[in-house]
Structures are given as C-alpha cells and as structure tokens.
Amino acid sequence: MINTSEIESLKSENQKLRNYISLVFAELELTQRIGEIKQNFVNSSDSERIIVPILNKISKIKSEKLTLEQEMHLI
C-alpha cells in the first residue's frame, strides 16, 4: 500500500513533469514565432527588435527546463 509521503512524492513529480511539458511546448511555440517573424520582416531592423525579447524568454525557458531535467534525472 502507498503511504502519504509516497503520494506526496508522486504528486510533486507529476507537477514537475507537467511543468516540464509546458516549458517544452512554450519553447517550440516561441521558436516557431521567431521563424514567422523572420519571414514577415525580411531585411528589417524591426525583426531584431521583436526577436530579442523572445530569444531572452527562450533562454529562460531552457534554464528552467535544465533545472527540472536535473531534478527528475532526465539527463
């Protein structure tokens, strides 16, 4: 039979996994948006102004993913 601490551990692991999946999807979506922006703003300084904050967000997402990967022993 599963005790309370095991249940809490499973809940925590489940939440971490859900967060990880959300981060993966967010990274993919933002990466796709960068591609769209580059297509729509060819040879434009506007594209860089728009893309830089998105790249910063992707960097933060990657950092959060790495932390979760280490916690869940995925790497």
Side-chain angles (χ1 to χ4, degrees):
M1 184 161 186
I2 298 177
N3 64 34
T4 304
S5 65
E6 289 174 318
I7 291 172
E8 290 305 315
S9 176
L10 288 172
K11 284 181 181 180
S12 174
E13 194 74 15
N14 186 310
Q15 186 59 48
K16 288 177 187 176
L17 187 55
R18 287 174 183 258
N19 290 343
Y20 183 78
I21 291 168
S22 293
L23 291 170
V24 168
F25 281 126
E27 182 181 2
L28 288 171
E29 183 177 331
L30 290 174
T31 301
Q32 287 176 338
R33 288 188 191 262
I34 287 174
E36 293 168 2
I37 291 167
K38 286 182 177 181
Q39 283 180 334
N40 292 327
F41 291 91
V42 177
N43 297 325
S44 172
S45 62
D46 289 338
S47 67
E48 287 303 310
R49 182 179 51 80
I50 295 168
I51 289 173
V52 169
I54 297 171
L55 289 172
N56 292 339
K57 181 64 177 173
I58 290 172
S59 178
K60 289 178 186 176
I61 289 170
K62 286 182 178 185
S63 176
E64 290 178 44
K65 276 178 40 190
L66 180 61
T67 300
L68 286 172
E69 288 169 349
Q70 291 169 339
E71 287 178 15
M72 295 187 301
H73 307 288
L74 297 176
I75 55 171

